[in-house]
């Protein structure tokens, strides 16, 4: 006979959903003694809580989660996609406008990559968009030193195994030659670490510029480098199947009788 799981959700999940921190960071906050539940200091994330529990973060009550929001950010090259960098390098979060709420990145772009980076205030939404099962295509404009034949592009389209790591088939097309460089458009759904750079290197060329131009239905478009733009709530709901927004509090609507 299996035990019935306790009601509610894990405390780290609740903190992440409220936009306080990622789950991993929330676990570190718990270990640091920053979270109280019903007046008791907790030291383990192995705790389920419900809406009736009183949660304090650094002595302040946990606020009701905001509606899930998404921002498009045009990441410049040279920024790290982490909350903090051990080497002291500037992060994308350092570069965001100060009036932005706390956000998390959906996936990452490495230091030298640029282009579309999605940001969200909702931990559950972040994980949903990152899952390979979501099946969203991520498209990149890739500049390489040299050129690739159609036969080598076919290798990409069929999938590669490099040093024991399998890379799923990619969409790949040649755009134009520009002196010693060539531009390609690459589309992938998996997104392993440095996937495009590693597969290009295996094919004998070097990536010297990589720009993400889309992530699923979200497009970089003409968003300038360093700029951030919020996606309209209706589009967020439609694209992610979140359903209608909750009714806003206020005066009840009065229906007038027809005469």
């Amino acid at each position: 006979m299996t035990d019935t799981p306790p009601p509610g959700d894990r405390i780290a999940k609740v903190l992440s959903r409220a936009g306080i921190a990622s789950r991993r960071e929330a676990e570190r906050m718990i270990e640091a003694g920053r979270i109280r539940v019903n007046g008791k200091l907790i030291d383990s994330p192995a705790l389920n809580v419900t809406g009736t529990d009183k949660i304090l973060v650094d002595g302040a009550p946990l606020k009701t989660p905001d509606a899930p929001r998404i921002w498009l950010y045009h990441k410049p090259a040279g920024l790290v996609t982490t909350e903090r960098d051990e080497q002291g390098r500037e992060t994308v979060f350092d570069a965001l406008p100060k009036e932005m709420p706390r956000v998390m990145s959906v996936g990452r772009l490495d230091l030298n990559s640029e282009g579309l980076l999605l940001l969200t205030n909702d931990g559950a939404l972040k994980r949903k968009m990152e899952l390979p099962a979501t099946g969203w295509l991520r498209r990149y404009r890739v500049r390489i030193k040299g050129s690739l034949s159609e036969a080598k592009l076919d290798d990409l389209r069929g999938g590669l195994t490099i040093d024991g790591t399998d890379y799923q088939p990619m969409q790949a097309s040649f755009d134009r030659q520009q002196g010693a460089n060539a531009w390609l458009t690459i589309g992938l759904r998996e997104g392993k670490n440095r996937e495009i750079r590693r597969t290009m290197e295996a094919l004998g060329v070097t990536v010297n510029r990589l720009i993400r131009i889309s992530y699923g239905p979200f497009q970089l478009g003409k968003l300038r480098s360093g700029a951030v733009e919020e996606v309209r709530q209706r589009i967020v709901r439609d694209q992610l199947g979140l359903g209608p927004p909750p009714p806003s509090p206020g005066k009840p609507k009065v229906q007038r009788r027809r005469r």
Side-chain angles (χ1 to χ4, degrees):
M1 183 177 178
T2 58
D3 293 332
T4 303
D9 292 312
R10 285 294 175 102
I11 179 68
K13 179 179 179 180
V14 172
L15 293 172
S16 175
R17 174 67 183 83
I20 296 297
S22 67
R23 284 198 192 185
R24 186 173 299 176
E25 181 64 25
E27 289 173 359
R28 286 196 284 264
M29 293 172 69
I30 291 167
E31 292 171 1
R34 298 172 58 187
I35 311 298
R36 288 181 178 271
V37 176
N38 300 326
K40 181 181 178 182
L41 190 68
I42 62 170
D43 57 9
S44 169
L47 172 70
N48 278 33
V49 294
T50 69
T52 61
D53 291 306
K54 295 181 180 179
I55 302 170
L56 299 181
V57 180
D58 294 332
L62 184 67
K63 296 179 180 178
T64 303
D66 292 333
R69 299 166 71 184
I70 295 174
W71 290 261
L72 313 178
Y73 175 57
H74 188 155
K75 175 194 174 294
L79 297 180
V80 184
T81 314
T82 55
E83 289 280 350
R84 286 178 296 277
D85 183 61
E86 293 177 356
Q87 301 178 38
R89 296 171 295 184
E90 187 179 11
T91 75
V92 295
F93 302 100
D94 295 329
L96 291 175
K98 299 303 180 186
E99 64 271 15
M100 287 273 295
R102 187 194 177 278
V103 292
M104 298 159 273
S105 67
V106 178
R108 292 188 178 187
L109 285 173
D110 65 37
L111 177 70
N112 296 316
S113 297
E114 54 194 293
L116 181 63
L117 183 67
L118 298 182
L119 306 170
T120 181
N121 65 332
D122 189 287
L125 192 58
K126 164 186 162 69
R127 288 187 298 279
K128 178 178 180 179
M129 291 191 287
E130 288 176 341
L131 285 173
T134 304
W136 276 357
L137 184 70
R138 303 156 203 188
R139 294 174 63 246
Y140 300 79
R141 291 269 288 140
V142 183
R143 189 178 69 190
I144 58 172
K145 185 178 180 181
S147 190
L148 288 177
S149 65
E150 277 298 316
K152 288 201 171 184
L153 290 180
D154 280 341
D155 290 340
L156 275 181
R157 295 167 185 143
L160 294 172
T161 299
I162 303 168
D163 295 333
T165 300
D166 294 329
Y167 294 94
Q168 298 299 316
M170 303 181 193
Q171 295 181 4
S173 61
F174 175 84
D175 295 334
R176 62 190 171 98
Q177 193 74 32
Q178 188 180 43
N181 298 315
W183 281 96
L184 310 173
T185 298
I186 304 290
L188 52 86
R189 298 184 187 276
E190 190 175 31
K192 286 187 171 77
N193 185 36
R194 298 177 66 83
E195 181 168 351
I196 293 177
R197 296 182 189 277
R198 287 174 175 167
T199 52
M200 290 292 125
E201 184 178 345
L203 294 177
V205 295
T206 303
V207 173
N208 53 33
R209 194 171 182 192
L210 192 150
I211 309 165
R212 183 153 65 194
I213 56 176
S214 68
Y215 192 113
F218 302 104
Q219 308 288 322
L220 180 64
K222 296 182 179 180
L223 191 66
R224 61 180 175 79
S225 181
V228 62
E229 177 180 287
E230 184 169 4
V231 178
R232 286 181 293 177
Q233 276 294 300
R234 179 182 59 79
I235 296 174
V236 173
R237 293 194 305 271
D238 290 349
Q239 293 296 344
L240 292 154
L242 300 179
S248 23
K251 295 180 179 179
K253 291 184 177 179
V254 177
Q255 292 185 344
R256 298 184 181 276
R257 294 181 180 179
R258 292 183 179 178
R259 294 186 179 183

